[in-house]
Amino acid sequence: MAQMFDSLRKKVIEGGRRLEIGSHRFTGVYALDEPGPGGASHEYAIAWEQEQGVAGNVIVFQKGPVKEAGVNGCFIEDLISICVDRLEAFQRGDFKCEENAMALNSLKSALFSLDIRTKDRQERGVEGHSAP
């Protein structure tokens, strides 16, 4: 459920870096923090204007290795899984199309690649640690 966030509005307006990736006709996507360990941001917002003000959702990613920082956010694979679930549902219904099938293929390929990376890190004994 989308929430109204005065603090979100403030973060987006005062410090959010708008992502210019993809097409955002109705929403804005923002990185809310500075890049941290690994060079990536960890807090993002998807925001849209409503009559009552800015509404949106904040997504917080894992910051630091799990074995060092504990679980403190979601993972890229989590968000890709949500997108796969939605597109598979569309493909079972009235919105089935070749473009959805192509997107599903790409998302599943991304999950596969990330899984290969994880397995490689596990085999090398560096999964969950600050190591390349």
Side-chain angles (χ1 to χ4, degrees):
M1 179 169 119
Q3 299 179 7
M4 301 297 290
F5 291 105
D6 287 333
S7 62
L8 171 61
R9 185 176 195 285
K10 183 177 179 182
K11 281 185 175 184
V12 166
I13 290 172
E14 292 180 5
R17 175 177 51 89
R18 186 179 176 102
L19 304 186
E20 301 297 337
I21 304 166
S23 170
H24 304 287
R25 297 182 331 187
F26 304 108
T27 60
V29 179
Y30 302 86
L32 300 179
D33 64 343
E34 293 298 319
S41 292
H42 297 87
E43 190 173 335
Y44 292 83
I46 303 168
W48 55 91
E49 292 285 338
Q50 293 184 332
E51 288 181 22
Q52 305 89 347
V54 173
N57 293 296
V58 174
I59 298 165
V60 178
F61 283 96
Q62 176 70 25
K63 188 171 189 177
V66 171
K67 290 185 179 175
E68 295 173 14
V71 176
N72 58 40
C74 71
F75 298 86
I76 292 170
E77 294 89 336
D78 301 328
L79 296 182
I80 294 172
S81 296
I82 291 168
C83 295
V84 166
D85 182 71
R86 284 184 55 82
L87 286 169
E88 285 178 342
F90 293 153
Q91 288 299 81
R92 290 189 301 270
D94 295 339
F95 298 104
K96 183 176 183 171
C97 65
E98 184 60 31
E99 293 81 5
N100 285 350
M102 290 168 42
L104 266 169
N105 254 356
S106 295
L107 290 167
K108 288 179 178 181
S109 177
L111 282 173
F112 181 75
S113 295
L114 291 168
D115 189 52
I116 289 172
R117 177 183 179 272
T118 298
K119 287 177 181 171
D120 173 66
R121 293 181 59 77
Q122 288 170 336
E123 288 173 8
R124 293 187 289 120
V126 297
E127 177 66 12
H129 297 284
S130 295

